[in-house]
C-alpha cells in the first residue's frame, strides 16, 4: 500500500497517517518526493484496505500494491496445478473439452447428446440439474431427477459429469452425483457456497462473475482453497460491457493474466459469452489459441426445442470442430 | 416477442418459425414488410426466451417486447407501495434516512453511532453483523453477537434496524433480530436466498447488483414477491463501469425508471457507490433531488479506526446535512 | 510514478530500472520493502508514461502517482474560474441554464423556442448548425444558414448562443457567430480541433466523451488552455455503460471530482444522458443538487416534428421546472 | 421500426402515432396483440430515428428493426472485398501482417525495425508520423519528416506503409506518402475526417472507437464508402470496460459479427488492446484463430527507449511468432 499525500499536507497530517498505519500493526515508511510525500505501508500480512486511509486529512490517494490472494497465487506455487477427474486431466499440457446441454431435460435427451459429443471428442459431460434463472417463472431444472439422469449417462458413456450447485441446501446432493461441481457466474461471490465448496472432496469449476475483476475471481478461488479444496478450475465466460452484438464480451486476455498470476487451470465457456450459435465456433478456436486449458460448450441435438439457451447451443456435429484440434 | 426474418428468408423458413412458436403453445402472427417479414409472438404468459428463435434458419433477430416481471410491475399495481416498519414509513410521500456503520464492531461503537445519527435525523439504523467480503481473510462481522448488539441499540434508541442476510444458514437468526433484512448487491441473484426472503414476515431491502440491468433487479424482487413477501424496498448503490474516480458509478436514472415501471419504493446508497467520503454528501443531495424515497448512508464516529469501509463513512455531524432536508 | 518490482527481481534488474529512469533525466529512489522493492520516480516535469517501465525485466507494475494536467488543475489555480458571456456568468456562485433545440431547423422554430425558454428562465440558447451524425444519411444541420438564424435570434432575445464546431474547416464560421463554442462528446479527443479552440477568443464548452475518464477529459481541457484560451466550461453528458434504460449513464460523481481537481466550471447535459424525455426533469434536479454550475437541456416546441433527438426534448413549459430554482 | 404502445393506449393515441409516421412519408401498419397494440413502420429508406416516437403519448417503446448501414452491408455486396495494396492483398483468403513502431522516431529506428519485421514475415510497415496524444505535452510525432522517413524505408524494404491521418490539415500530406491511411480509434467519429478519407484514392484502415458499437463502427465505414472510397479495412483494437488487467478489452466476437454483416476485411490490433507486451502474443494467436484477415502489431527493437507505448511493443524476434503461421 502506498499512501500519496497532497502537496499541501502538513507534517502533522503526515504524522497522523503514520500513526494510523502503526496503530494497525503495520510499519510506515514515509518517502519525501520533490513536491509531495508518499508513505509506504510495510509488513502487512494480507491486503490492507485502501479505504482505511483514503479519507484521512492530507491524503490524496491510497494505492494498493501487493496482490490480495495467496494460495491461488503462482508466487505461492510455481508449478501448474493439473487435476485428475476420473482419468481426465485438466491443466497445463492438456486441452479438455466439456460439452453437453445447458439443462438436463430427460434421460433420452441427455443420453443422446452425451453419446454424440463423446463421439465428437468430448472428455466430460456438462448438464444442469439445478438452474439459476433470472425469472422465478422460468424452468428451474429437474433437480435430483436430473442428477440421477447424469449418473446413468456417466455409466453409459464413461464420461465424468460437471453440474452446478446453486445453494448449500442442495450441495450435498450435487456433491454425491457430480464429478466436478460448478459454481456459476452469479454465485461467484456467494461466499457461503464457496466455503461449502472448500470442504468438498470434489473438484470445483468456478466461473468468473459478469462484472468480476480478475482479482475478485482469484479471491473467490482463494475462498475455496482456504477451505482445503485445492482442486479448483477457473472458467472465463464473458463479462458485461456496453457491447451488445454478443450476450457478453469474452475476455480472452484473462487467460494469459490468470496463467501468469495463478497456477490453477483456466477454461473458456464461449457459449455463454456469445449467446449466439454462430459466434461459438470462432470464439472456441480463439480460446484454444490464446492458451486456455480447455472449453466448456453447450450442445443440443434439437436446439429449437431446448428448454433453455437453445440459441447458443451447437449441433453435436459442430462440436467435432472444437474437439478435432 | 418479435421475430425479424432476413431479407432472403424463404417461405419454408418462415413457416418453420411459425411452427416452432405454435409448438410452444403461443400464437404466431407474420407481418409482411417491404423487404422482409417479421413475426409477432402473442398469447404468451410470462416472457418468451429470445434464444429459442435466434438461431433458427432465416431468423435475423428475436426482439423481446413485453416486460418479464409481473407482481413488481406498476401495470399490476397502480398505486405506490408504502411499507410500515415499526412506525417508520418507506415509500411515496416519505423520505427515509437509514444511517449507521458498515459493520457492527462493538456495543459501544454501535450505540455511539446510533445515538448520534438519531440526533442528526436518521429514522433507522443500518449495521452489518454478517459481512460478505471479497477476501476470506477480511473481517467477516461479529455474527450473532452483532445481531444482539443491534437489538440492544434498538431498545435504547427506538430505531428499527436494517441488517444483511448473506445465506440461508443464518437467515433465521437475522430474521429474528432484524426489522428489515438486507439482500446485498453480490446476493441479488442468489435465488435461494431470494426465495427464503420471500417466505419471511420481515420487509426486504434489495440492493441492485453491480452489473444488473433494471429488468434483472426487478426480477430479483419478483422472486421475493412471488414467495408471498410483498414488502420489498429497492436500493440503487452504483454499478460497475470503466470509470474509476468513484468506486462505482451511481446510476440515478434508475430512480425515475423504477418508479415508472414498479410500485415499490426505491432508496439510494451513495456510500457504496462513491467509496469516498467527499462524494457522499453531493451524491446524497442528488439522490434526494432525483426523487428517491430515502437514503442509506454509512456513518462512523471514528472512520480511521473502522474495521471496514472507513473511507466512505461520514462523520455523524455530516449526516445532519442529509437528514436536514 | 512508482515502479513495483517482483519478489524475485534481482539486484541487476533493479539497477537496470534505475538506469532507465535516470536515462530519461528523472531521479530514481528505490524503497526496499519487506518482500519486494519499489522504485519512486522523482523530478519529472509532467507525467511519466507507465508503459516505459511496464515491460522491463523484474517489473511487476508501474503505478502513476501524480496528475498529468497542469493549467486546469486546482493545484495551479486555487480560486474558481467564473466566465462572463455577454453578462451571463458561468461558474461558482451561479447556476446557468442553457436551453434550446438540438438542431436549428428554421428561423421560426429557433425563435419560437428561444422566446419560450427565455420566458421560462433560460440564460443562453443552445442550437446546432453543424451536427455530428452517426449516419451520413441523417440531417447534418443547416450550416451557415443555421448560424445566421442563431444570430438573428440572439438579436431578438438578447440571449448569448452556444453552438457546436465539428471541424477546423467550419470553425472560423462558428467562431464568428457563436458566443460559446461547443466541442461535442465525439470530438473530445479531436486534438486539432482542441488546438484550434485554444486559439479562439470565444469561450469553449467541452463535453465529456462517451468513454472518457476524468483525467482524459481534463487533459482535453488542458489542450485548449495550453493554446491560450482560459475560458473553458466542462459539461458532463453521460457515459456509455452496460445499462440501457437510459441512452447513457449520467455520471454525477464527476461533478464533485472535477470541482476538487479543477477550477473550471462544470455543467450537466441531462438530455443527451437520458435520451428520454421522462428522465430529463428528475436528472436535472439531481444535477442541480449535486453542485454543478448549470444545465444544458434540449427543448422543442413540437418534439414529434423535430428533425433530430425529438424524444429527449422537453416541452418549453417543462424547462420552467429547471429554471425555477 | 416497431412502435410498441402501452396497454392503456387509447385509439386516439394510436391514430396520432400512425399520423406521425405517415407525415414522415412512411407507411404505418398497426398490429393488435393480446394486451397491447404495436405499429410497424414500413417503406422507410434508411433508418428511422426511434427518438421520433419514443416520447409520443401512449408509446411504450420504439424498437429499431433494420440495420442503418447500406454500402458496407453484406446485403448490398455478397462477396468479400479484397484490397490490393502494392501487391499485398488484404481480405478473405489472406492473412496480412502489419508491424512496426508505434511512432517513427528516426530513420535509423524505422529502418532497423522495418528490416527486422520484414525478415520476420511482415507484409506492411506501420509507424505514426502524426500521433494523437492524450496530453499536449507528450511527443506528437515527427510530422512530415516522419512521412519522408517512411517513404525511404518503403524504398529500402519494398513494404507498403500504413500511417495515421489525424486531421484534414495534414491529410493531403499523409495521403501523398502513405499506402494505407489509418483513421485512429479516437477519430472514428470525426466525420469531417471520414468524409475527406472518402475522397481519397488510398485505402483506409478504420479502427474501432473505444466505446463504439459495431453499428457505429460500420456507419463510420459507411461515411468513407459513401464518399466514393470503397477500399476500407476495419481494425478492432479493444474496447473500454470495467476490466483493467489489460488496457482495453479485446472484443474478438466483433470478427464473426463484422464478417457476417459486412463484406469488408477486418484486422486485429492486439498491441493497443493489451497495452502489455506479455499479452500480445497470446491475443495475436487468438485473433488469427477467430478468423480475422490479419494483424497490426507494434514492434520496437529497443522498447525501453521507445518514445511512446514501449511497454506494449514486441521485440522483433517475437513478431516471427505471429508471422510464422
Amino acid at each position: 500500500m502506498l499512501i500519496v499525500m497532497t502537496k499541501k499536507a502538513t507534517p502533522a497530517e503526515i504524522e497522523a497517517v503514520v500513526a494510523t498505519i502503526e496503530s494497525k500493526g503495520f510499519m510506515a515508511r514515509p518517502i519525501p518526493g520533490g513536491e509531495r510525500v508518499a508513505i509506504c505501508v510495510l509488513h502487512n500480512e494480507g491486503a490492507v484496505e485502501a479505504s482505511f486511509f483514503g479519507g484521512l486529512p492530507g491524503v490524496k490517494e491510497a494505492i494498493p500494491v501487493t496482490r490480495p490472494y495467496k494460495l491461488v497465487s503462482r508466487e505461492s506455487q510455481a508449478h501448474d496445478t493439473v487435476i485428475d477427474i476420473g482419468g481426465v486431466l485438466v491443466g497445463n499440457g492438456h486441452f479438455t473439452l466439456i460439452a453437453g446441454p445447458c439443462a438436463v431435460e430427460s434421460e433420452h435427451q441427455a443420453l443422446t447428446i452425451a453419446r454424440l459429443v463423446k463421439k465428437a471428442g468430448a472428455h466430460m459431460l456438462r448438464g444442469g440439474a439445478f438452474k439459476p434463472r433470472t425469472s422465478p417463472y422460468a424452468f428451474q431444472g429437474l433437480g435430483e431427477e436430473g442428477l440421477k439422469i447424469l449418473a446413468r449417462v456417466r455409466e453409459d458413456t464413461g464420461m465424468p459429469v460437471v453440474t452446478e450447485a446453486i445453494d448449500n441446501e442442495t450441495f450435498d446432493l450435487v456433491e454425491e452425483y457430480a464429478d466436478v461441481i460448478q459454481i456459476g457466474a452469479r454465485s461467484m461471490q456467494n461466499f457461503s457456497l464457496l466455503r461449502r465448496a472448500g470442504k468438498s472432496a470434489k473438484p470445483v469449476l468456478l466461473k468468473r462473475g459478469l462484472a468480476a475483476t480478475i482479482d475478485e475471481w482469484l479471491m473467490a478461488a482463494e475462498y475455496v482453497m482456504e477451505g482445503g479444496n485445492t482442486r479448483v478450475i477457473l472458467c472465463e465466460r464473458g463479462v458485461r460491457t456496453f457491447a451488445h452484438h454478443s450476450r457478453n464480451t469474452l475476455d480472452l486476455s484473462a487467460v494469459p493474466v490468470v496463467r501468469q498470476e495463478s497456477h490453477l487451470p483456466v477454461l473458456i465457456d464461449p457459449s455463454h459469452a456469445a449467446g449466439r450459435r454462430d459466434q461459438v465456433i470462432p470464439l472456441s478456436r480463439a480460446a484454444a489459441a490464446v492458451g486456455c486449458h480447455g472449453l466448456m460448450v453447450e450442445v443440443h441435438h434439437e436446439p429449437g426445442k431446448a428448454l433453455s439457451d437453445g440459441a447458443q447451443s451447437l449441433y453435436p456435429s459442430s462440436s467435432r470442430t472444437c474437439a478435432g484440434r
Side-chain angles (χ1 to χ4, degrees), chain A:
Chain A
M1 175 74 60
L2 184 80
I3 316 289
V4 183
M5 306 297 292
T6 62
K7 287 187 189 172
K8 298 185 181 161
T10 63
E13 286 168 349
I14 293 168
E15 265 177 49
V17 171
V18 168
T20 303
I21 293 168
E22 290 173 348
S23 77
K24 293 178 185 303
F26 308 141
M27 175 184 289
R29 183 174 305 203
I31 316 150
E35 292 193 319
R36 63 179 88 234
V37 169
I39 306 171
C40 272
V41 182
L42 302 176
H43 290 194
N44 50 304
E45 293 185 57
V48 182
E49 280 210 26
S51 59
F52 280 139
F53 304 104
L56 297 182
V59 170
K60 193 163 181 69
E61 265 182 311
I63 303 172
V65 170
T66 45
R67 297 285 184 265
Y69 39 83
K70 296 180 179 176
L71 302 172
V72 303
S73 168
R74 196 172 277 284
E75 294 196 347
S76 76
Q77 179 190 314
H79 68 273
D80 287 296
T81 289
V82 176
I83 298 170
D84 185 334
I85 302 152
V88 174
L89 298 178
V90 179
N92 202 25
H94 307 275
F95 190 83
T96 312
L97 184 57
I98 306 171
C102 177
V104 176
E105 297 169 15
S106 69
E107 181 162 345
H108 173 72
Q109 172 247 24
L111 192 55
T112 305
I113 295 172
R115 287 174 179 168
L116 288 165
V117 300
K118 190 186 179 187
K119 209 171 148 188
H123 307 99
M124 289 199 270
L125 180 71
R126 60 150 293 155
F130 294 96
K131 301 295 303 173
R133 298 304 299 270
T134 303
S135 165
Y137 311 119
F139 173 61
Q140 310 273 328
L142 295 179
E144 185 169 6
E145 177 53 26
L147 295 172
K148 287 180 177 166
I149 290 173
L150 286 172
R152 288 195 292 271
V153 172
R154 172 176 47 205
E155 212 170 317
D156 180 275
T157 63
M159 283 194 292
V161 301
V162 182
T163 196
E164 180 165 353
I166 59 172
D167 52 32
N168 287 0
E169 287 69 26
T170 55
F171 198 99
D172 290 359
L173 211 52
V174 173
E175 193 177 30
E176 186 186 333
Y177 289 95
D179 297 292
V180 177
I181 297 166
Q182 177 178 319
I183 306 284
R186 283 167 182 76
S187 305
M188 194 204 84
Q189 291 196 318
N190 181 336
F191 301 114
S192 298
L193 193 63
L194 295 174
R195 287 198 189 282
R196 174 65 186 80
K199 300 295 175 206
S200 177
K202 295 284 176 72
V204 170
L205 187 148
L206 177 64
K207 289 202 163 185
R208 180 179 176 190
L210 269 79
T213 63
I214 288 184
D215 270 16
E216 290 169 341
W217 187 21
L218 291 178
M219 287 309 289
E222 185 86 12
Y223 262 93
V224 180
M225 288 194 73
E226 198 264 342
N229 188 347
T230 59
R231 300 197 295 165
V232 180
I233 302 163
L234 300 165
C235 183
E236 155 73 27
R237 43 78 73 214
V239 291
R240 194 161 265 183
T241 72
F242 73 89
H244 285 274
H245 55 273
S246 52
R247 188 193 288 168
N248 296 286
T249 300
L250 187 63
D251 178 11
L252 287 178
S253 68
V255 172
V257 175
V258 163
R259 294 194 61 173
Q260 182 170 39
E261 293 290 327
S262 177
H263 52 84
L264 295 173
V266 55
L267 307 185
I268 297 285
D269 171 353
S271 304
H272 283 86
R276 292 174 47 161
R277 195 177 306 135
D278 52 9
Q279 295 176 12
V280 176
I281 296 286
L283 291 178
S284 297
R285 290 192 177 113
V290 88
C292 72
H293 299 111
L295 295 177
M296 178 147 93
V297 292
E298 285 188 13
V299 177
H300 201 283
H301 63 306
E302 296 172 307
K305 290 190 185 161
L307 294 180
S308 59
D309 280 347
Q312 73 195 34
S313 293
L314 295 181
Y315 296 94
S317 56
S318 319
S319 65
R320 202 163 305 151
T321 315
C322 302
R325 36 181 324 285

